[in-house]
Amino acid sequence: VSYTANGGGHAQAFTSGYIYSSGAGTYHVRKNSAIFARYAALNSQYGALSWPAGNETCTSSTCQTRFHLGTITWSASTGAIEVTGAFEAAYAAAGRYTGPLGVAASAPVSFNVNGGGSAQSFAGGHIYSSQAGTFALRKSSGIFAAYAAQNSQYGPLGWPASDETCTANGCQVIFTGGTITWSAATGVFAVTGNFNTVYAALGRSTGVLGAAASSPTSFTANGGGSAQSFAGGYIYSSPAGTFHQRKNSAIFAAYAAQGSQYGALGWPSSEETCTATTCQTTFTGGTITWSAEAGVRVVSGPIEVAYAAAGRYTGILGVATSGPGNFTTNGGGQAQSFVGGHIYSSPAGTYH
């Protein structure tokens, strides 16, 4: 019999089933199959699944049939459940019932949290669909365990905004409200809020910072703030802003030697910025500059105030070439050398 539904095709009835032929191919379904019963309940070729696109295939405990617009899977524990629409596209990409997700375990369920979306459960994971896209998470993943511990789509991380992606160094999943990373060296940690904004700008786990190595920790030193550790550095957040420091930076080494956020320099107030030959990072209590010729130098106190007014390392003074020197002559004072000049500080004031 010919049908015009869903692009058209033919169907022939047999004692124990049907053969369907359409643009998707020619396939049979058995009447005694739970998958066929579900297909019939969904209005067969007239319905949302359209025409069969494969024969029923089975493992020792599960079965599936592909259709032009979806898949129906079956297991003894779940029964026959369909996967359609955006869920089907993600399910197909994950290998359908022989992939890590296994068979469907529920129909999609809608949620109005964090902008709204829907989720469908599978034996081995979940597929989430929201305005951020449709993505799968495996139950066996440490990243999924961390996401569940943060209350999944109800929590601050919101909805998945990527699949789990991995390199030789680790894995990550991006969410609408943050990122979760994993590596063998660091374990699983979430990055959210201002930390995630900076982390995303740096390329997340594949950028200079690598995977997260801790949760954020709060500190009361120098006006207070918080810091989060990563394989390749740190992100610091304080009233001065949220900025990163690379562990392999000579400027960071000098900052750490000064006591980091506990020390006189306080909290970072800029990213490390560089010209072709020089670099600097500003802090709430000073500046650290670097050049190949002068190395790393710290500028702080009244000299830093004058240095900032002169444009720091991109101004007329350039980078520092010495630390401050103390002098007792003529009432005493300090002087610090720079590529383009000197700053002098005494009871008379601080000038370059």
Side-chain angles (χ1 to χ4, degrees), residues 81-333:
I81 300 173
E82 69 276 7
V83 186
T84 60
F87 292 97
E88 161 66 9
Y91 189 48
R96 294 191 172 91
Y97 83 136
T98 59
L101 294 178
V103 298
S106 78
V109 178
S110 296
F111 302 88
N112 60 13
V113 295
N114 282 317
S118 52
Q120 184 167 8
S121 295
F122 295 79
H126 303 270
I127 295 178
Y128 299 88
S129 187
S130 73
Q131 292 180 349
T134 303
F135 305 101
L137 292 180
R138 296 177 292 109
K139 289 180 181 177
S140 60
S141 165
I143 288 179
F144 173 74
Y147 180 52
Q150 294 262 349
N151 211 16
S152 303
Q153 67 268 30
Y154 294 94
L157 287 165
W159 294 87
S162 79
D163 290 315
E164 183 171 327
T165 57
C166 298
T167 67
N169 296 320
C171 300
Q172 74 172 16
V173 176
I174 300 169
F175 299 87
T176 54
T179 307
I180 297 178
T181 67
W182 170 90
S183 76
T186 62
V188 179
F189 291 100
V191 187
T192 59
N194 292 339
F195 291 95
N196 187 60
T197 301
V198 171
Y199 191 49
L202 294 169
R204 295 187 171 93
S205 67
T206 58
V208 295
L209 292 179
S214 77
S215 298
T217 303
S218 296
F219 301 88
T220 58
N222 283 314
S226 51
Q228 185 165 8
S229 175
F230 296 81
Y234 298 86
I235 296 178
Y236 298 88
S237 189
S238 74
T242 304
F243 307 100
H244 85 281
Q245 292 281 302
R246 294 179 292 109
K247 287 181 180 177
N248 64 356
S249 163
I251 287 178
F252 173 73
Y255 179 53
Q258 292 272 332
S260 303
Q261 67 269 30
Y262 295 98
L265 287 168
W267 294 87
S269 58
S270 79
E271 301 284 9
E272 182 175 321
T273 56
C274 297
T275 67
T277 57
T278 61
C279 297
Q280 81 168 13
T281 299
T282 64
F283 300 86
T284 54
T287 301
I288 299 177
T289 67
W290 172 90
S291 71
E293 295 79 8
V296 178
R297 304 291 179 177
V298 177
V299 187
S300 60
I303 293 177
E304 155 65 11
V305 175
Y307 187 49
R312 293 190 172 94
Y313 83 137
T314 58
I316 57 172
L317 294 176
V319 298
T321 57
S322 75
N326 295 312
F327 300 88
T328 59
T329 55
N330 289 315

